Amino acid sequence: MFPGSVGDVDDLDLADWRERVARLYLSDVDLAGFRAGRDALFAEHPQSPIPADERPAFHGLPHFPANPDAVAEAPVRPATGGLTIDTGGPDGAVHYRRVGIADTPWGPLTLFWIEAYGGGLFLPFRDGTAGPRTYGAGRYLTDTVKGTFGRGVTLLGPDRVRLDFNYAYNPSCAYDDRWACPLAPEENRVSAPIEAGELNYHS
């Protein structure tokens, strides 16, 4: 392990993981190419959230088929106030501020900004597929601190966004309970099923 490692997290490996994720999100590959690239990262990279003993048998993440009905443009209205999510892990309580509410066809979803050095846009959500088909605690559409630029959430101006739920993905804790993740707050839970994006890893 390199100097600066903490526990089983190597700082340089983690930096490499985040760079590769950002490059994939910003690349010009289509959805199928994007999913293949992500599968390769999950199978091979030291920072993969897939447990190491499961990686030899890993053959890719499960997804809904591409769904054009899961793409929508939505107006964004102002929102105020903060939110604190206790991860229950070493990150402790993570502080966010509300930057806007997107009025989507499935219900309103709040976009958050992480209150930390550099910041980042964060959109966690839980929909009607949660539990039987997708991770029960919800999924993410973007977390730009982790390099997930564009694709899931594209800013179209100061008061409009494009949301593509084909890029919805699971938090790391969906693969291994050694991870602790901020999960979708009550205000980002919608009853409508959004049949797009990543399915349960543990079926």
Side-chain angles (χ1 to χ4, degrees):
M1 298 177 79
F2 290 102
S5 299
V6 178
D8 60 353
V9 177
D10 183 285
D11 294 338
L12 295 183
D13 276 345
L14 181 56
D16 181 69
W17 168 269
R18 290 187 178 176
E19 179 179 344
R20 292 187 187 208
V21 168
R23 286 180 182 274
L24 180 60
Y25 270 81
L26 294 169
S27 71
D28 60 1
V29 297
D30 62 10
L31 178 63
F34 174 85
R35 289 178 173 179
R38 196 159 174 262
D39 283 344
L41 271 175
F42 273 59
E44 301 163 4
H45 200 280
Q47 287 297 318
S48 169
I50 303 294
D53 61 350
E54 295 180 17
R55 289 178 205 164
F58 176 76
H59 298 296
L61 299 167
H63 294 91
F64 285 102
N67 182 358
D69 294 330
V71 184
E73 291 187 10
V76 178
R77 52 190 162 89
T80 59
L83 175 72
T84 298
I85 300 176
D86 189 346
T87 66
D91 289 335
V94 182
H95 304 286
Y96 300 89
R97 73 173 183 269
R98 295 175 179 87
V99 296
I101 299 171
D103 288 313
T104 83
W106 304 277
L109 292 173
T110 301
L111 289 94
F112 297 95
W113 188 263
I114 186 170
E115 295 278 36
Y117 177 76
L121 194 64
F122 182 48
L123 203 170
F125 72 98
R126 184 181 187 276
D127 68 286
T129 68
R133 290 185 286 172
T134 61
Y135 185 52
R139 297 177 285 168
Y140 295 169
L141 197 55
T142 197
D143 184 1
T144 61
V145 166
K146 304 294 178 64
T148 62
F149 300 103
R151 295 196 182 255
V153 177
T154 305
L155 303 177
L156 302 178
D159 56 3
R160 197 163 188 84
V161 293
R162 181 179 185 270
L163 306 176
D164 188 342
F165 286 90
N166 290 290
Y167 291 95
Y169 63 97
N170 291 333
S172 297
C173 50
Y175 313 107
D176 189 343
D177 59 13
R178 72 190 175 99
W179 302 98
C181 308
L183 301 176
E186 189 67 34
E187 65 197 87
N188 273 18
R189 298 179 184 181
V190 296
S191 59
I194 304 176
E195 297 177 329
E198 194 174 341
L199 293 161
N200 258 331
Y201 175 67
H202 297 288
S203 58

